Amino acid sequence: METPFKIIDHTADIGIAVNGATLQQLFENAAIGLFNLIIDSSTLEDYTEYPISISSTNRESLLIDWLNELIYVYEVEHIVFKRFTITIFSDTHLESLCFGDFLDNKRHLIKREVKAATYHMLSITNDSDGFHATIIFDI
Amino acid sequence: MTKWDGKLHKIDTYRWEISPDYKPGMRVPGIVYASDAMMENIKEDQSLEQVANVAFLPGIMKYSLAMPDIHWGYGFPIGGVAATRVSDGVVSPGGVGYDINCGVRLLRTNLTEDEVRPRIKELINHIFHNVPSGLGSEGKIIVSEKDLNHLMVEGAQWAIKKGYGYAEDLDATEETGCLQGADPNAVSAKAIKRGMPQAGTLGSGNHFLEIQIVKEIYDQAAAQIMGIGFPGQVLVLIHTGSRGFGHQVCSDYLRVMEIATTKYGIHLPDKQLACTPIQSDEGKKYLAAMACAANYAWANRQCIAHWIRESFVMIFKKSAENLGMVQVYDVAHNIAKLETHHVDGKAVAVCVHRKGATRAFPAFHEAVSGMYKSIGQPVLIPGDMGRVSYVALGTEKALAETFGSTCHGAGRLQSRGAAKRSRRGSDIAHNLEARGITIKTGDVAALAEEASEAYKDISEVIEVADRSGISKKIIMAAPIGVIKG
């Protein structure tokens, strides 16, 4: 199995290259990658459960909308997520349970502010190893 | 990263052209302002491809432009300028960016370096506590949804009504701190929810506050009009934008534009350039929501300026009036504006996208008023954290060549990852201290991402802007104290 994600450089911003055995797993790993950019995930608990459902026009947009929804929930509800289970999945719709921790500056080490997931350089491909995506975040 | 190997035609010393033949679909040529040396660096990534891609936008007039601080963005290059015809052209949220009305405000003081340097630590600490900053920072002002509705429409004027600053500040703010056409109904509930707790916060990343010392004055008469009279005079620079509110407006409308691009049959080489006709319902709504975010940013910088004045009053035990804390100017550098420009001898209504570019209107332009009428609009160009900043003026040449635009800053050379790998945040803090610059941040590790070496040399950028004539440099200042969010 390839690594779930790795951080990639971009002159002004930062990105992740994500892998998954299935498309569903790719989406879960992208979310893990996102929160690794935001916070030191080793400091997180996962006792808070938060359901998220997203509908979009195609799978690329679904991926961007999914990540932007997570950024929104983090910023507004102050929940930092560690683990994701996507329960229902199609190219245009997903339902998930996200597990995380309420942000606590005493316990958590925040790394950076992520403004949004962008469409820049976005691609979802698949081959015999599974699914792959590159996502650039605006920070 | 792949090097850009397209064909460039050198027009003159500082201008380079990408021919519309470079890529089928380009409607106009690309023009980039850069020196020979800078162009070698620019070719290292794909920012020139982005200049060519922007030339695909329907209704784009004359050129797809890039200022000397050009670097690789998403969709538009940072430093990109594109004017689209209002009658049949498009508006692209990617040409504004996520941090809508990210911008700069400059205050002058009567204080000298000798008066401030001995108390700089105390001053910086006071400001650090008085101005909410840092990752996910939330404000100390409670803004209800009703308040936010007023803030979105009134901008800096809302903040002044609440007691944050003076009416005169508005005269020294682009658009008097209030962009017309804002409609809160065009803003999502999500943007409102993100915006309410963050009003009056600096944020993090490349946003910062600096206490600066005037180092060089290149035009004494113009500097005098700005209230800047002598080397050693203390200035205050504020660099921030519309926080999560603007990010959400941009994200929301990129989704709308994705559908609109297909609906209106627009062909683009990059999804991040998604756009819609200015006259479409989607275009009107985006501009109305973008104006709300622009106004949010002006209110934000207005509140922050007020708290900085408060801190100076506390430390120096004099009133803000006695300290001469007058606003020099406030500019937006991520914005789309409806303006009238002359194209081929005719006045045309255009939407000027400035993505990491600053408006630079000349003397006697109708949008330049008050004391600046006779000299032109001040252009505030911060360097990277810890290096020098400049104040310039708009020019006739900018109006003729770049839809009245110039550069906005240094422009990144190195990715944040590369910057972080090659140096440690704590070393940067020590280096700054060794150079006599007091630094205060909630996140020392992140300093490495904003290290000077990660940016182009601002002085080189300014030289190109000045010698090519798209702005005229007036003042150079260097920091003695920095607060990084």
Side-chain angles (χ1 to χ4, degrees), chain B residues 343-372:
Chain B
V343 181
D344 301 327
K346 281 190 202 139
V348 186
V350 291
C351 177
V352 185
H353 299 71
R354 296 192 181 95
K355 169 78 178 286
T358 316
R359 196 184 76 176
F361 282 173
F364 304 108
H365 187 284
E366 59 178 12
V368 183
S369 59
M371 57 186 174
Y372 297 123

Side-chain angles (χ1 to χ4, degrees), chain B residues 39 182 187 218 254 302 353:
Chain B
M39 186 47 81
V187 173
Y218 307 103
L254 277 170
Q302 186 65 46
H353 299 71

Side-chain angles (χ1 to χ4, degrees), chain A residues 7-14 38 50 54-58 60-62 64-65 68-69 71-72 74-78 103 105 109-122 136-139, chain B residues 1 45 50 71-75 78 98-99 134-136 138 189-191 193-194 198 203-204 206-207 243-244 247-248 251 254-255 258-259 270-272 412-418 420-421 443 446 449:
Chain A
I7 293 171
I8 52 173
D9 279 346
H10 181 276
T11 317
D13 297 296
I14 202 161
I38 294 175
Y50 194 97
I54 301 282
S55 292
S56 201
T57 44
N58 54 56
E60 279 82 11
S61 297
L62 188 70
I64 296 302
D65 288 352
N68 281 334
E69 183 68 17
I71 292 170
Y72 169 75
Y74 159 62
E75 208 168 293
V76 169
E77 308 291 348
H78 301 153
L103 185 62
N105 286 326
L109 178 67
I110 309 179
K111 293 184 194 162
R112 60 172 70 75
E113 186 171 67
V114 175
K115 291 177 190 164
T118 77
Y119 287 97
H120 179 55
M121 285 171 62
L122 175 68
I136 303 288
F137 295 93
D138 187 17
I139 59 172
Chain B
M1 175 45 53
D45 59 30
Q50 294 183 322
H71 62 276
W72 199 27
Y74 27 83
I78 317 291
Y98 287 92
D99 196 359
L135 290 155
E138 298 203 344
K190 279 184 174 174
K193 215 166 169 191
R194 269 174 97 167
Q198 293 182 354
S204 67
N206 61 350
H207 294 150
R243 311 283 290 107
H247 311 163
Q248 189 66 40
S251 285
L254 277 170
R255 290 286 296 109
E258 191 202 350
I259 297 163
D270 182 348
K271 223 173 172 177
Q272 195 71 31
R412 282 195 89 91
L413 265 183
Q414 210 176 28
S415 72
R416 290 169 205 264
K420 214 164 181 168
R421 279 192 298 277
D443 184 4
E449 295 186 2

